[in-house]
Amino acid sequence: MEKTDQELIEKIEELRYELKAIILAHNYQREEIQDIADILGDSLGLSQDAARADAGVIIFCGVHFMAESAAILSPEKTVILPCPDAGCPLADMVTPEALRQKKAEHPEATVVCYVNSSAETKAESDICCTSANAVRVVNSVQEDTVLFIPDKNLGHFASQHTNKKVILWEGYCPIHHWVTPEEVIKARQAHPRAAVVVHPECQPEVIKLADHVCSTSGMISYAKKVNTDELIIGTEIGMLHRLRKEVPEKRFYIASPRLICPNMKKTSLTSVLTALENLSLVIKVTEPIRQRAKLALDRMLAIPRDR
Ligand code: CIZ
């Protein structure tokens, strides 16, 4: 007989305690996964929290590159991705081989790599960035030319806030990229008093229509401080659950009904329980790749934080 959600949660609690495991959930996860998580956040913040946590086992409810980031920062811990096929099309839009070729074409450029990328791609890069600190990272590098990978929309956003030449990689998040200006205009018409907040992975035409552009962590602080009690949110729909819980006095609307990432929704209570029972899939990064990828992350972390 199939277990009820309550039974699954009780079993997860039991095993989590026995194994001294912590459950991390990305802001885009299903509501029931967010609700059982020890820590909720963005990919880099979660990986940093995992590194600090007193736990041997980390259940990373997110997509593959996120669990890799946790493995890069916590090599001594067992990092488990509950759904082995939870990937990221954006991360897959750059390969280390293609990057090496592009670097050879632009030897003058510093490679700035968005954390939504594989460990191997990070290892080929000079410095990482997040959606929260992309502008700061681009401005921090010494060279005048930056090769920004793999998200062209975030790279374009950063290029609008720097004097550096930014070479864009032809990559994008299929969820954010396909939000249209028409959808945002329609949402504004439906909620005329609402502020429009969008993620910088959206297209420039959508960004132009927004009152504020920021990362998922930035959305929480903006929602708390902005002088309006309604917000239209242009990022993956899972974020609305967190916003509604943390800022219950305000109302949130999604900018487009298509802002649903199928990979982020793969993780269920059953897959979390199975992951705890079988301790699988363990995410491993080979030591040479880990060290080089960590260097790119460390260079970013050395820049004062802006989250
Ligand atoms: O880096 C992350 O976690 C993502 C995908 C978005 C964000 O802005 O937090």
Side-chain angles (χ1 to χ4, degrees), residues 26 28 42-44 66 114-116 131 199 201 215-217:
H26 190 269
Y28 298 159
D42 61 24
S43 61
L44 186 75
M66 299 180 175
Y114 186 26
V115 289
N116 292 32
S131 49
H199 196 275
E201 287 176 24
S215 67
T216 56
S217 312

Side-chain angles (χ1 to χ4, degrees), residues 15-212:
L15 280 180
R16 168 168 37 194
Y17 182 75
E18 249 172 55
L19 295 167
K20 258 192 132 202
I22 56 164
I23 299 175
L24 306 185
H26 190 269
N27 292 325
Y28 298 159
Q29 288 287 293
R30 288 168 185 264
E31 297 183 2
E32 62 273 27
I33 300 298
Q34 295 194 26
D35 291 345
I36 59 156
D38 295 293
I39 310 175
L40 197 56
D42 61 24
S43 61
L44 186 75
L46 288 175
S47 300
Q48 290 175 294
D49 289 333
R52 284 188 287 265
D54 176 25
V57 175
I58 292 153
I59 306 291
F60 206 118
C61 302
V63 294
H64 193 269
F65 80 81
M66 299 180 175
E68 269 191 345
S69 295
I72 291 167
L73 296 182
S74 305
E76 72 297 350
K77 293 178 181 162
T78 305
V79 179
I80 310 277
L81 181 69
C83 288
D85 62 340
C88 172
L90 168 60
D92 294 342
M93 285 181 194
V94 56
T95 61
E97 297 72 35
L99 176 54
R100 278 194 286 273
Q101 196 177 325
K102 197 78 165 172
K103 278 164 63 171
E105 287 166 27
H106 298 283
E108 76 291 3
T110 296
V111 180
V112 175
C113 176
Y114 186 26
V115 289
N116 292 32
S117 52
S118 70
E120 274 189 288
T121 299
K122 289 185 180 78
E124 277 299 327
S125 304
D126 296 304
I127 185 165
C128 286
C129 76
T130 67
S131 49
N133 65 18
V135 171
R136 187 177 288 233
V137 169
V138 165
N139 281 315
S140 77
V141 305
Q142 278 186 348
E143 291 70 16
D144 293 331
T145 306
V146 160
L147 170 57
F148 194 98
I149 64 165
D151 191 301
K152 64 175 177 181
N153 292 324
L154 179 60
H156 180 270
F157 177 70
S159 77
Q160 302 299 292
H161 298 88
T162 183
N163 292 326
K164 293 184 193 293
K165 178 179 171 198
V166 180
I167 302 164
L168 301 177
W169 190 270
E170 189 49 45
Y172 54 87
C173 161
I175 309 305
H176 288 89
H177 185 74
W178 296 119
V179 176
T180 64
E182 292 71 29
E183 285 174 315
V184 175
I185 291 166
K186 209 170 139 197
R188 252 206 212 281
Q189 281 165 353
H191 308 288
R193 290 207 318 271
V196 174
V197 189
V198 305
H199 196 275
E201 287 176 24
C202 291
Q203 293 202 58
E205 296 71 24
V206 166
I207 285 181
K208 258 190 229 148
L209 295 173
D211 296 302
H212 191 60

